[in-house]
Amino acid sequence: MNALHPPALTGGEVYRIHWVLGTDRLLAVCHCGAEHEFEDPVDVWEWLLAHPDGHRPFDDPAGRDPGEEAP
Amino acid sequence: MTAFVRNQWYVAAYAHEVGRDLLGRTILGEPILLYRTEDGRPVALADRCVHRRFPLSEKPSRLDGDRVVCGYHGFTYGTDGVCVSVPAQRRIPRTARLATYPVVEQDSFVWVWIGDREPGDTLPPRAPWLDSSDHTVVCGMEPLDADYGLLVDNLLDLSHETYLHGGYIGTPEVAETPITTEVDDKSGVVYVSRHMDDAECPPFYAKSTGIDGRITRWQDIEYHAPCLYLLHSRIAPVGAPGPNPDGSDPHAFHVEVVYGITPSTEKTTYDFWAVARDFALDDQRVSDFLRENNHTVVMQDVVALNVLQKALDTEKPGYQELSINIDTGGLAARRILARMAAENAAPAEAGVR
């Protein structure tokens, strides 16, 4: 992962989307810890707001790849 | 159109605009009369006489002490909206009463609560720089002939500075620097950070700060949906030390750009803009320069958004847009506004949902 901005908002349910430096990709981080990269911000919001559907806990390595999570 | 969000505070005017003259503003489609009582308290009432709907903000309506006298037939109202006098008869109809609006004066703005319930303990979001002895402020208000959602979209994505505001506040790096977006859905706050480590200094900042080389330029947007937009702008010469852990930041210049975004009608918006700086506090030339330049920049947005609104009005329903990475913050704001509007729909609208 590239260097990311430190968090600015401190609420309990904050979604974060990092534009990954040097790429055209967006890294979406849910407040539950699940992460996924996208190429389209519309897809980012569909995935984030679907929480908890398709989100796995941060400590579950499989959760890093929602491609595997599709039913 | 972008749905209105009720049960919110909105900037109705600058404090300095509200005085002993009658001021009319339409907010979320509601005509509102603003004035100040003899002891300095701001008042907000419905801006239509109950008799024949004459606007009380229009001449020859006038103040008589703290009472408003309709310029058409003389119906007279107190600050509580109750009619105390009608022409030629003693009996005053029971229903002769103007709606009143909760008002708060805060951070140099007069805020009005538009809603179906009382605000309770809810206060407007803060912009303390506008009323602080540590800052000097230039400000203005431009009416916009566009849906307020277009202004939100515009302000949440500053990559447009490079194109629409080139030569003023835009430089190539703005559009070329990636951003981080944070969203607190529950609080309705969108935060967008764009930190440029080594950027050209646009004239807006070169002439106001005196920096003549390249700069570190941070843009941190904090949008409190639906009504208040803050841009925390930090400018420092490249290589200058960053902020201290205690928050002090003596090697940088700070500009707080504040927008009160107040929907007026479905396709008109009040664009309240203010620029607060923490340097050259007493330098009138810097104030004049920033006022003129920021006004130019605001008008570039106003002209573009008016054109955009006209173009959108000719589109067929269901027209398509395309969003890319720069739109991440704007898309978040749209979703929050839609959710807030649905949760706070007027009772008649809510009934059909």
Side-chain angles (χ1 to χ4, degrees):
Chain A
M1 195 186 298
N2 291 285
L4 304 175
H5 283 296
L9 300 182
T10 55
E13 292 193 6
V14 176
Y15 303 107
R16 292 192 170 83
I17 305 100
H18 305 278
W19 186 334
V20 183
L21 285 174
T23 77
D24 286 345
R25 299 179 69 79
L26 297 170
L27 173 67
V29 184
C30 183
H31 53 75
C32 71
E35 295 183 358
H36 187 43
E37 280 194 15
F38 294 89
E39 288 186 337
D40 184 327
V42 175
D43 296 340
V44 165
W45 286 111
E46 282 180 7
W47 180 77
L48 282 173
L49 297 175
H51 168 88
D53 293 347
H55 292 213
R56 291 189 184 175
F58 184 70
D59 58 0
D60 177 356
R64 303 293 185 100
D65 184 5
E68 297 173 7
E69 297 171 11
Chain B
M1 68 161 273
T2 310
F4 290 159
V5 181
R6 298 177 63 77
N7 297 313
Q8 295 287 332
W9 291 102
Y10 288 95
V11 175
Y14 286 105
H16 65 75
E17 293 182 289
V18 179
R20 297 291 294 167
D21 290 328
L22 298 168
L23 175 67
R25 291 267 152 89
T26 298
I27 304 177
L28 269 61
E30 301 191 19
I32 297 176
L33 171 72
L34 297 157
Y35 66 95
R36 223 175 261 279
T37 59
E38 287 179 326
D39 63 3
R41 187 169 53 90
V43 176
L45 301 171
D47 187 21
R48 293 290 182 270
C49 180
V50 296
H51 177 224
R52 289 293 180 264
R53 314 299 296 167
F54 190 79
L56 297 166
S57 59
E58 294 288 338
K59 288 180 178 171
S61 298
R62 62 184 172 82
L63 281 176
D64 176 8
D66 287 344
R67 293 173 171 174
V68 185
V69 182
C70 178
Y72 192 6
H73 298 95
F75 277 57
T76 302
Y77 303 90
T79 57
D80 57 0
V82 175
C83 181
V84 294
S85 172
V86 299
Q89 67 178 53
R90 284 198 192 152
R91 188 185 68 82
I92 299 171
R94 220 170 11 91
T95 54
R97 176 188 288 259
L98 302 174
T100 60
Y101 293 84
V103 184
V104 164
E105 196 166 352
Q106 178 178 285
D107 300 331
S108 87
F109 289 131
V110 172
W111 297 80
V112 170
W113 174 265
I114 307 289
D116 310 297
R117 56 176 170 80
E118 292 296 310
D121 295 334
T122 307
L123 286 171
R126 298 299 307 264
W129 316 276
L130 302 189
D131 189 18
S132 150
S133 57
D134 299 331
H135 291 78
T136 298
V137 179
V138 295
C139 64
M141 189 280 282
E142 304 304 328
L144 185 63
D145 291 327
D147 177 334
Y148 80 99
L150 298 190
L151 182 57
V152 174
D153 231 26
N154 170 279
L155 293 172
L156 264 291
D157 165 33
L158 296 182
S159 67
H160 80 272
E161 287 183 351
T162 302
Y163 303 94
L164 194 55
H165 308 305
Y168 289 87
I169 52 175
T171 68
E173 297 87 357
V174 178
E176 290 167 3
T177 306
I179 51 178
T180 290
T181 305
E182 296 181 50
V183 179
D184 187 333
D185 202 33
K186 204 176 281 181
S187 307
V189 177
V190 180
Y191 199 100
V192 182
S193 299
R194 176 184 270 110
H195 288 192
M196 292 161 268
D197 294 332
D198 184 354
E200 189 183 316
C201 190
F204 186 83
Y205 289 124
K207 289 187 184 165
S208 58
T209 65
I211 297 178
D212 54 10
R214 292 181 70 79
I215 56 169
T216 299
R217 183 179 184 188
W218 291 1
Q219 294 177 322
D220 288 273
I221 295 168
E222 194 177 331
Y223 173 50
H224 295 260
C227 55
L228 187 72
Y229 170 97
L230 313 172
L231 168 60
H232 312 293
S233 183
R234 177 185 186 275
I235 305 101
V238 168
N244 295 319
D246 66 1
S248 62
D249 192 13
H251 301 286
F253 298 87
H254 302 88
V255 175
E256 301 288 346
V257 183
V258 178
Y259 281 83
I261 301 171
T262 305
S264 182
T265 65
E266 287 187 0
K267 290 179 186 172
T268 58
T269 302
Y270 297 113
D271 178 344
F272 292 91
W273 60 268
V275 177
R277 67 180 191 272
D278 70 349
F279 55 91
L281 297 184
D282 300 319
D283 192 329
Q284 187 61 40
R285 285 172 307 171
V286 172
S287 290
D288 293 343
F289 173 80
L290 288 179
R291 181 183 292 106
E292 186 188 335
N293 267 260
N294 207 66
H295 178 256
T296 301
V297 166
V298 168
M299 290 312 296
Q300 288 168 338
D301 282 329
V302 167
V303 169
L305 296 180
N306 290 354
V307 165
L308 177 57
Q309 181 67 63
K310 277 189 182 170
L312 293 176
D313 288 344
T314 67
E315 295 275 3
K316 292 176 184 159
Y319 65 87
Q320 292 290 309
E321 289 179 309
L322 174 68
S323 294
I324 60 170
N325 289 1
I326 56 173
D327 302 307
T328 304
L331 291 178
R334 285 187 188 184
R335 287 173 186 271
I336 287 174
L337 291 173
R339 173 182 62 73
M340 293 175 99
E343 289 171 0
N344 293 284
E349 293 172 52
V352 299
R353 279 168 196 278

Coordinates of all heavy atoms in Angstrom, one line a residue, chain B residues 160-190:
Chain B
H160 N -11.4 20.9 -10.8 CA -11.9 21.9 -11.8 C -11.1 23.2 -11.7 O -11.2 24.0 -12.6 CB -13.4 22.1 -11.6 CG -13.8 23.1 -10.5 ND1 -14.0 22.7 -9.2 CD2 -14.0 24.4 -10.5 CE1 -14.3 23.7 -8.5 NE2 -14.3 24.8 -9.3
E161 N -10.4 23.4 -10.6 CA -9.7 24.7 -10.5 C -8.7 24.8 -11.6 O -8.4 25.9 -12.1 CB -8.9 24.7 -9.1 CG -9.8 24.9 -7.9 CD -9.0 25.0 -6.6 OE1 -7.8 24.7 -6.7 OE2 -9.6 25.3 -5.6
T162 N -8.1 23.7 -12.0 CA -7.0 23.8 -13.0 C -7.6 24.3 -14.3 O -6.9 25.0 -15.1 CB -6.5 22.3 -13.2 OG1 -6.0 21.9 -12.0 CG2 -5.4 22.3 -14.3
Y163 N -8.8 24.0 -14.6 CA -9.4 24.4 -15.9 C -10.3 25.6 -15.8 O -10.1 26.6 -16.6 CB -10.2 23.2 -16.4 CG -9.4 22.0 -16.5 CD1 -9.3 21.1 -15.5 CD2 -8.5 21.8 -17.6 CE1 -8.4 20.0 -15.6 CE2 -7.6 20.8 -17.7 CZ -7.6 19.8 -16.6 OH -6.7 18.8 -16.7
L164 N -11.2 25.6 -14.9 CA -12.1 26.8 -14.8 C -11.5 28.0 -14.2 O -11.8 29.1 -14.5 CB -13.4 26.3 -14.0 CG -14.6 27.2 -14.0 CD1 -15.1 27.5 -15.5 CD2 -15.7 26.6 -13.2
H165 N -10.5 27.8 -13.3 CA -9.9 28.9 -12.6 C -8.4 29.0 -12.8 O -7.6 29.5 -12.0 CB -10.1 28.7 -11.1 CG -11.6 28.5 -10.7 ND1 -12.6 29.4 -11.1 CD2 -12.2 27.5 -9.9 CE1 -13.7 28.9 -10.6 NE2 -13.5 27.8 -9.9
G166 N -8.0 28.5 -14.0 CA -6.6 28.6 -14.4 C -6.1 30.0 -14.3 O -6.8 30.9 -14.8
G167 N -4.9 30.3 -13.8 CA -4.4 31.7 -13.7 C -4.9 32.4 -12.5 O -4.4 33.5 -12.2
Y168 N -5.8 31.8 -11.7 CA -6.2 32.4 -10.4 C -5.8 31.5 -9.3 O -4.9 31.8 -8.6 CB -7.8 32.6 -10.5 CG -8.1 33.8 -11.4 CD1 -8.4 33.5 -12.7 CD2 -8.2 35.1 -10.9 CE1 -8.7 34.5 -13.6 CE2 -8.5 36.1 -11.8 CZ -8.8 35.8 -13.1 OH -9.1 36.8 -14.0
I169 N -6.6 30.4 -9.1 CA -6.3 29.5 -8.0 C -5.9 28.1 -8.6 O -5.4 27.2 -7.8 CB -7.4 29.3 -7.0 CG1 -8.7 28.9 -7.8 CG2 -7.6 30.6 -6.2 CD1 -9.9 28.6 -6.8
G170 N -6.0 27.9 -9.9 CA -5.7 26.6 -10.4 C -4.3 26.5 -10.9 O -3.8 27.5 -11.5
T171 N -3.7 25.4 -10.7 CA -2.4 25.1 -11.3 C -2.5 23.6 -11.7 O -3.4 22.9 -11.3 CB -1.2 25.3 -10.3 OG1 -1.3 24.3 -9.3 CG2 -1.2 26.7 -9.7
P172 N -1.5 23.1 -12.6 CA -1.7 21.8 -13.1 C -1.7 20.7 -12.0 O -2.4 19.7 -12.1 CB -0.4 21.6 -13.9 CG 0.0 23.0 -14.3 CD -0.4 23.8 -13.2
E173 N -1.0 21.0 -10.9 CA -0.9 20.0 -9.8 C -2.3 19.6 -9.2 O -2.5 18.5 -8.7 CB 0.1 20.4 -8.7 CG 1.5 20.6 -9.2 CD 1.8 22.0 -9.8 OE1 0.8 22.8 -9.8 OE2 2.9 22.2 -10.1
V174 N -3.2 20.6 -9.2 CA -4.5 20.3 -8.5 C -5.2 19.2 -9.1 O -5.6 18.2 -8.5 CB -5.4 21.6 -8.5 CG1 -6.7 21.3 -7.8 CG2 -4.7 22.7 -7.8
A175 N -5.2 19.2 -10.5 CA -5.9 18.1 -11.2 C -5.1 16.8 -11.2 O -5.6 15.7 -11.4 CB -6.3 18.5 -12.6
E176 N -3.8 16.9 -10.9 CA -2.9 15.7 -11.1 C -2.6 15.0 -9.7 O -2.0 14.0 -9.7 CB -1.6 16.2 -11.7 CG -1.8 16.5 -13.2 CD -0.6 17.2 -13.7 OE1 0.4 17.4 -13.0 OE2 -0.6 17.7 -14.9
T177 N -3.1 15.6 -8.6 CA -2.8 15.0 -7.3 C -3.9 14.2 -6.8 O -5.0 14.6 -6.8 CB -2.4 16.1 -6.3 OG1 -1.4 17.0 -6.8 CG2 -2.0 15.5 -5.0
P178 N -3.6 12.9 -6.5 CA -4.7 12.0 -6.0 C -5.3 12.6 -4.6 O -4.6 13.4 -3.9 CB -4.0 10.7 -5.7 CG -2.8 10.8 -6.6 CD -2.4 12.2 -6.6
I179 N -6.4 12.1 -4.3 CA -7.2 12.6 -3.1 C -7.5 11.4 -2.2 O -7.6 10.3 -2.7 CB -8.4 13.3 -3.6 CG1 -9.3 12.5 -4.5 CG2 -8.1 14.7 -4.1 CD1 -10.6 13.1 -5.0
T180 N -7.7 11.7 -1.0 CA -8.3 10.8 -0.1 C -9.7 11.3 0.4 O -9.8 12.5 0.7 CB -7.4 10.6 1.2 OG1 -6.2 9.8 0.7 CG2 -8.1 9.7 2.2
T181 N -10.7 10.5 0.4 CA -12.0 10.9 0.8 C -12.4 10.1 2.0 O -12.2 8.9 2.1 CB -13.0 10.6 -0.4 OG1 -12.5 11.2 -1.6 CG2 -14.4 11.1 0.0
E182 N -12.9 10.8 3.0 CA -13.5 10.2 4.2 C -14.9 10.6 4.4 O -15.2 11.8 4.2 CB -12.7 10.5 5.4 CG -11.2 10.1 5.4 CD -10.5 10.5 6.7 OE1 -11.0 10.2 7.8 OE2 -9.4 11.1 6.5
V183 N -15.7 9.7 4.8 CA -17.2 10.0 4.9 C -17.7 9.4 6.2 O -17.6 8.2 6.5 CB -18.0 9.3 3.7 CG1 -19.4 9.6 3.9 CG2 -17.5 9.8 2.4
D184 N -18.2 10.3 7.0 CA -19.0 9.9 8.2 C -20.4 10.1 7.9 O -21.0 11.2 7.9 CB -18.6 10.9 9.4 CG -19.2 10.4 10.7 OD1 -20.2 9.7 10.7 OD2 -18.6 10.7 11.8
D185 N -21.0 9.0 7.5 CA -22.4 9.0 6.9 C -23.3 9.4 8.0 O -24.3 10.2 7.7 CB -22.7 7.5 6.5 CG -23.8 7.5 5.5 OD1 -23.9 8.4 4.7 OD2 -24.6 6.5 5.5
K186 N -23.2 9.0 9.2 CA -24.1 9.3 10.3 C -24.1 10.8 10.6 O -25.2 11.4 10.7 CB -23.7 8.5 11.5 CG -24.9 8.3 12.5 CD -24.5 7.4 13.7 CE -24.4 5.9 13.3 NZ -24.0 5.1 14.4
S187 N -23.0 11.4 10.6 CA -22.9 12.8 10.9 C -23.1 13.7 9.6 O -23.2 14.9 9.8 CB -21.5 13.2 11.5 OG -21.2 12.4 12.6
G188 N -23.1 13.1 8.5 CA -23.3 13.9 7.2 C -22.1 14.7 6.9 O -22.2 15.8 6.4
V189 N -20.9 14.2 7.2 CA -19.7 15.0 6.9 C -18.8 14.2 5.8 O -18.6 13.0 5.9 CB -18.8 15.2 8.1 CG1 -17.5 15.9 7.8 CG2 -19.6 15.9 9.2
V190 N -18.4 15.0 4.8 CA -17.5 14.4 3.8 C -16.2 15.2 3.9 O -16.2 16.5 4.0 CB -18.1 14.6 2.4 CG1 -17.1 14.0 1.3 CG2 -19.4 13.9 2.3

